[in-house]
Amino acid sequence: MSIFEGTAVALVTPMKEDGAVDYKKLDELVEWQIEQGTDAIVACGTTGEASTLANHEHISVIEAVVKKAAGRVPIIAGTGVNDTNHAIELSTGAESVGADALLIVTPYYNKASDTGLFLHYEKIAQSVKLPIILYSVQSRTNMNLSAALVEKLITIPNIVGIKEASGDIAQVADICRLASDDFAVYSGNDDQVLPLMALGGKGVISTIANIAPKQTHELAQAALDGNYDLAREMQLAQLPLIHALFCEVNPIPVKTAVGLLGKIDPNFRLPLSDAQPETVERLKKEMAAYGLEV
């Protein structure tokens, strides 16, 4: 069975001005997401600035999200890094604090062969009992999970899904051929939710859901229901805002946008920095046009 169907938000991690994690705001974001109909929450993904969190903070954020959600929606912990042993440390830590599943991105910087990638995922999977969602995002890691490699990886019992963010619709189609009751395909790109779901995908792990959770859930639900006309209308309506959310490196624009909604103070840890003034103005314009109050 799928870990979730519909929308999982790749949740931002609120921070105070001094860079400390703002756990009060984190609790509020989790509660708001659940109230708005989000089907699952990813803690400590790329959008959650996981690469700037110390190990103890990484696990602490996951634990805080698990506790606040209190079983109402699945919590998926981002625990992928470019060192297999470090990924195992984070993965077992996430399991110990109650995460429901893991999201494991491909190794970055040092890269790997297909053999190395398989062994990397196999060793992590053997270290935990939790289900694992693969994460392929070549634009950030310079590593791709081909359909042929994914077909091998799904022979590992607790690999149950993939967040597909290659942007290559031909590859997406090949991977969707592997979809089954035991293996779910999720869009990792907000601008390709409908195409992927029309090919058999189960939903999206979403950035825009940080500011439009209800609307994104409804888009995914329309696609799940086979109402592709409505889903197409909703997908196209989101495009200008999606483009604005990626006009600077993620998560700078989306965290700024969550701030514009008044839900957090949009503080970052270096090397991420504040959004450019023109980005803020573009976000205000597109958020207002989409019907969000800023």
Side-chain angles (χ1 to χ4, degrees):
M1 297 294 293
S2 303
I3 296 166
F4 74 95
E5 294 187 0
T7 301
V9 60
L11 195 68
V12 299
T13 301
M15 295 174 181
K16 300 177 182 179
E17 191 171 1
D18 63 1
V21 175
D22 191 333
Y23 288 97
K24 180 177 183 296
K25 292 294 185 183
L26 182 62
D27 280 356
E28 292 172 2
L29 288 181
V30 170
E31 188 63 34
W32 181 60
Q33 286 288 332
I34 295 172
E35 288 173 356
Q36 292 289 301
T38 294
D39 301 289
I41 295 173
V42 175
C44 296
T46 305
T47 307
E49 295 176 80
S51 58
T52 69
L53 298 175
N55 278 14
H56 71 277
E57 292 175 309
H58 199 124
I59 302 305
S60 179
V61 168
I62 293 165
E63 183 176 24
V65 174
V66 167
K67 286 183 176 179
K68 186 62 180 178
R72 290 176 289 172
V73 297
I75 304 304
I76 303 163
T79 55
V81 291
N82 66 335
D83 167 35
T84 306
N85 288 331
H86 187 193
I88 288 171
E89 181 182 357
L90 292 174
S91 298
T92 55
E95 184 173 49
S96 72
V97 297
D100 297 291
L102 305 175
L103 179 66
I104 309 288
V105 72
T106 53
Y108 40 85
Y109 187 71
N110 49 1
K111 303 171 64 176
S113 65
D114 279 3
T115 298
L117 284 170
F118 182 89
L119 294 172
H120 172 77
Y121 280 109
E122 182 182 51
K123 191 169 182 181
I124 296 169
Q126 290 172 345
S127 74
V128 293
K129 295 180 180 178
L130 293 179
I132 290 172
I133 299 174
L134 308 169
Y135 181 14
S136 183
V137 56
Q138 189 169 7
S139 63
R140 295 193 78 108
T141 66
N142 205 30
M143 294 299 301
N144 179 53
L145 293 177
S146 67
L149 180 54
V150 172
E151 189 169 14
K152 293 177 181 177
L153 285 166
I154 63 178
T155 64
I156 299 170
N158 51 334
I159 289 182
V160 301
I162 184 170
K163 177 182 178 181
E164 222 298 338
S166 69
D168 181 347
I169 196 66
Q171 176 170 290
V172 168
D174 280 339
I175 290 174
C176 282
R177 292 179 64 246
L178 305 173
S180 67
D181 288 343
D182 298 318
F183 185 73
V185 183
Y186 301 107
S187 178
N189 293 323
D190 282 310
D191 59 354
Q192 293 185 352
V193 178
L194 177 56
L196 184 142
M197 293 187 70
L199 288 166
K202 293 297 185 183
V204 58
I205 297 177
S206 171
T207 297
I208 196 174
N210 278 283
I211 58 172
K214 182 175 184 290
Q215 298 92 326
T216 308
H217 165 79
E218 290 174 349
L219 189 167
Q221 190 60 54
L224 287 170
D225 293 341
N227 190 345
Y228 294 129
D229 287 341
L230 176 59
R232 180 173 59 252
E233 178 183 338
M234 298 178 76
Q235 175 83 89
L236 294 176
Q238 281 194 343
L239 283 182
L241 181 53
I242 290 168
H243 294 328
L245 289 173
F246 290 92
C247 68
E248 289 191 50
V249 66
N250 182 48
I252 291 173
V254 71
K255 200 171 191 182
T256 302
V258 178
L260 290 172
L261 292 179
K263 297 193 175 297
I264 63 169
D265 295 322
N267 299 308
F268 301 90
R269 288 183 180 180
L270 291 170
L272 297 184
S273 58
D274 291 345
Q276 296 298 309
E278 56 268 29
T279 296
V280 177
E281 292 308 310
R282 181 175 178 181
L283 287 168
K284 288 179 179 178
K285 175 186 173 184
E286 297 300 347
M287 290 170 72
Y290 189 65
L292 303 179
E293 294 186 10
V294 295

